[in-house]
Amino acid sequence: MSTHCYIGATSPDNPHLVHARFVLCDGHPAVVLPTLAAIWARHAQHNTRTLIAAILAHDWEYLDPDIAATTRSTCPGQRPVPGVGMTLASKVDPPEPVTVIPLCHAAHLDAEWIYLIDADTGALAVHTSDGLRVATYHLADVLNPGSRERGERLCGPRSTAGAPR
């Protein structure tokens, strides 16, 4: 079974209000953390606001920093966004709007994890399905694990076995 998640950012005017997009597959922190860091580095060129804009542009089947324009989906109508991932929307259905919800209502979302990107600091807050923050990582530290302080541990690398393509 796939791990669903939401990825987004909080509103600058209201830090308790989340703007996020649904990701159908590979939503576990062991996958999302290195994937977002790679998209931030390559596609967004270390610009956190560009990363947020790319993520909020679509709901996603999955994120993949290595996806190319020529990648084909098994579902008709879905399309690849090079360097970001495979969209979830089809050409038949209109795109869904960005999900906007107070973080205290996170339990109403159909997701096991919620990831919130801080546009100003490059921090990535990891929340459980009920909105409880369990960890915060900086995108640069996820890319360069040697720069972390001793004793701090990141989730493991992405496993490509069984990943949808």
Side-chain angles (χ1 to χ4, degrees):
M1 179 160 215
S2 182
T3 302
H4 309 291
C5 72
Y6 277 85
I7 302 174
T10 56
S11 169
D13 300 330
N14 185 349
H16 300 289
L17 192 62
V18 173
H19 294 82
R21 285 296 191 164
F22 180 72
V23 181
L24 179 65
C25 300
D26 294 341
H28 191 274
V31 176
V32 171
L33 292 171
T35 298
L36 280 177
I39 293 169
W40 171 72
R42 296 184 217 159
H43 176 79
Q45 299 180 354
H46 297 259
N47 184 315
T48 309
R49 293 183 196 289
T50 301
L51 171 65
I52 293 168
I55 296 300
L56 292 181
H58 305 278
D59 283 330
W60 302 94
E61 180 181 348
Y62 61 91
L63 298 175
D64 183 351
D66 297 323
I67 200 164
T70 56
T71 305
R72 299 287 174 233
S73 173
T74 57
C75 299
Q78 293 179 322
R79 66 180 183 85
V81 176
V84 182
M86 184 66 68
T87 65
L88 190 58
S90 73
K91 292 178 183 174
V92 177
D93 299 321
E96 293 291 325
V98 171
T99 298
V100 180
I101 187 169
L103 188 55
C104 63
H105 292 161
H108 298 288
L109 298 172
D110 177 27
E112 295 179 47
W113 298 97
I114 301 164
Y115 303 91
L116 299 177
I117 306 163
D118 185 306
D120 295 327
T121 66
L124 181 60
V126 180
H127 297 260
T128 57
S129 62
D130 60 0
L132 177 67
R133 184 187 325 206
V134 294
T136 300
Y137 300 94
H138 289 273
L139 292 164
D141 292 341
V142 175
L143 278 179
N144 304 306
S147 66
R148 294 186 318 270
E149 290 187 29
R150 188 175 205 161
E152 184 181 358
R153 191 166 166 246
L154 291 178
C155 297
R158 179 179 185 158
S159 169
T160 56
R165 297 288 178 260

